[in-house]
Amino acid sequence: MKGRDDGGSKVELSTFRIAATYIGTVVGAGFASGQEVLQFFGYYGLNGFVGLGLATIIFMLYGYIILKLGLELKAKSHLEVIKKAGGKWLGWIIDAVITFFLFGALTAMVAGSGSIFEEQFAIPSFWGNLIMVVTSLATTLLGINGVISAISFVVPLLLTGVFAVTIMTIAVKFPFGIGALQQVMPGQPPIGSWFISAFNYASYNLVIAVAVLAPLGREAKNTHHLKMGSIFGGLGLGVGAMSILLALLLNLPEVAEYEIPMVYVSGRFSVWIQLIYSAILIAEVYTTAVGNLYGFVARLTDPDGPRYKLYVLITSIFALIASQFGFTTLVRFLYPAVGYAGFLLLGGLTIGLVKSYSR
């Protein structure tokens, strides 16, 4: 996909491509593995589904706001959108949070790929880390067009895999009573209530998404496809997460012991299904790693400038080093912390929306 043709006019972005890019930027090692959904919603039983419904609405609304601002401001990175939404001082704080977390989330994707390679293929995690870093680096060197194309291709595979595993789980467990969905994860939840968890979950995911959605919005001709793309993107994220939560609750307490719980669930049907889901999961981790890497580097330097490739290389090396902290640790502690900080992003975007309609 090219944002502009040779004559300088924009090529229309389809609703599908916008929605797929939105979904693919957010989902990754945490989402598709089930670990993220388990940590944020697995402790609340049926209320976890209510929380995901609330998160879905937030995804749709704020995804559109970011895309629309990206179009209006011709944004090359998230910085233009954040400055517009938050003003000088709040914008500076939000920008710092986003930039920090883009690197942290990239690190989590690299760590997650290592866990998948080690648990599923008996390959030392470092080699999984290295493969993810190299492939993400190669794609990101192509710029925003390479990022969008890679993400759009993989997303349908992920959602197909998630829905297939959930449908098979329902078929095996059926009939089951409502009590099966009231099971909760053992232990203390990272966040005290499902309501706050829903906002926290959407907040930190939007911190990731804004880095790609802002420059993506710049590529559109008008707001219609942006609006529909954000609606279908938000729905895809919400329904996909609910599907994962359903499969996990029906397999408690066993799934609580695994870093990659959805791969464990898929393995209960056959080794081949497990291998296929593992491959899809690796592909999805790759798309999110690519989005995070691009967003982080685009904030540090002009993506059309001479230093872009050098920054991509240096960032990839540091992410490989930082990934050695482990995947579950990063999801449990880093994600909720950034989610709370991301409330500033939601606040800034809300203020920006009110200002735009009050003119």
Side-chain angles (χ1 to χ4, degrees):
M1 190 281 298
K2 292 185 178 181
R4 294 166 177 81
D5 61 20
D6 295 336
S9 62
K10 291 184 179 180
V11 175
E12 188 69 41
L13 282 174
S14 68
T15 295
F16 167 78
R17 180 151 286 197
I18 295 169
T21 303
Y22 190 178
I23 296 169
T25 302
V26 169
V27 303
F31 181 99
S33 70
Q35 186 62 241
E36 184 181 293
V37 174
L38 206 56
Q39 293 293 339
F40 278 88
F41 300 102
Y43 292 89
Y44 310 112
L46 284 173
N47 282 335
F49 292 97
V50 181
L52 278 171
L54 176 58
T56 300
I57 295 171
I58 297 171
F59 281 137
M60 290 190 290
L61 174 61
Y62 285 93
Y64 175 64
I65 295 173
I66 295 168
L67 287 164
K68 185 170 181 287
L69 286 173
L71 173 62
E72 292 174 356
L73 301 172
K74 312 301 180 202
K76 285 191 173 183
S77 75
H78 67 264
L79 182 60
E80 294 94 327
V81 170
I82 296 310
K83 280 186 175 179
K84 177 71 173 179
K88 182 179 179 181
W89 296 109
L90 181 58
W92 182 87
I93 295 171
I94 297 171
D95 173 46
V97 169
I98 292 173
T99 304
F100 165 77
F101 187 55
L102 285 171
F103 180 78
L106 169 63
T107 300
M109 295 305 103
V110 176
S113 67
S115 296
I116 298 168
F117 274 89
E118 187 169 48
E119 285 190 3
Q120 303 307 314
F121 307 110
I123 297 173
S125 61
F126 175 78
W127 293 108
N129 301 151
L130 183 61
I131 290 170
M132 185 56 60
V133 164
V134 171
T135 54
S136 300
L137 185 157
T139 304
T140 307
L141 289 176
L142 299 175
I144 187 65
N145 292 331
V147 172
I148 294 173
S149 296
I151 292 174
S152 300
F153 176 77
V154 173
V155 164
L157 298 177
L158 168 77
L159 293 180
T160 300
V162 166
F163 294 143
V165 170
T166 301
I167 290 170
M168 287 187 288
T169 300
I170 293 172
V172 169
K173 297 287 184 177
F174 192 83
F176 52 85
I178 198 70
L181 301 181
Q182 292 175 328
Q183 297 184 85
V184 297
M185 278 275 289
Q188 231 9 65
I191 299 172
S193 77
W194 65 265
F195 184 79
I196 297 175
S197 191
F199 273 93
N200 192 292
Y201 175 72
S203 171
Y204 96 80
N205 273 309
L206 285 165
V207 167
I208 299 175
V210 68
V212 173
L213 292 184
L216 178 66
R218 181 184 65 153
E219 302 296 323
K221 274 186 176 180
N222 54 62
T223 59
H224 175 70
H225 283 165
L226 297 183
K227 184 181 295 183
M228 298 308 298
S230 63
I231 290 174
F232 284 109
L235 280 174
L237 289 168
V239 174
M242 289 181 192
S243 179
I244 289 173
L245 181 60
L246 176 59
L248 295 178
L249 291 181
L250 291 176
N251 282 279
L252 280 174
E254 294 87 353
V255 293
E257 302 173 9
Y258 293 85
E259 284 212 324
I260 315 293
M262 279 295 284
V263 172
Y264 162 77
V265 174
S266 64
R268 302 195 68 177
F269 304 109
S270 79
V271 173
W272 287 108
I273 293 175
Q274 185 178 41
L275 289 174
I276 292 171
Y277 192 86
S278 297
I280 293 173
L281 176 55
I282 291 170
E284 199 51 59
V285 172
Y286 153 75
T287 64
T288 304
V290 165
N292 292 333
L293 179 56
Y294 175 82
F296 181 77
V297 174
R299 172 60 188 89
L300 299 182
T301 187
D302 185 347
D304 299 321
R307 295 183 295 179
Y308 175 74
K309 292 182 179 180
L310 177 62
Y311 276 51
V312 170
L313 176 61
I314 293 173
T315 302
S316 299
I317 292 171
F318 276 100
L320 178 62
I321 296 170
S323 68
Q324 305 311 304
F325 283 106
F327 177 54
T328 301
T329 302
L330 288 166
V331 171
R332 183 170 179 83
F333 296 104
L334 174 66
Y335 283 25
V338 176
Y340 284 120
F343 286 170
L344 294 173
L345 171 62
L346 297 185
L349 291 171
T350 302
I351 293 170
L353 180 65
V354 171
K355 284 181 178 178
S356 68
Y357 279 103
S358 63
R359 292 193 190 109

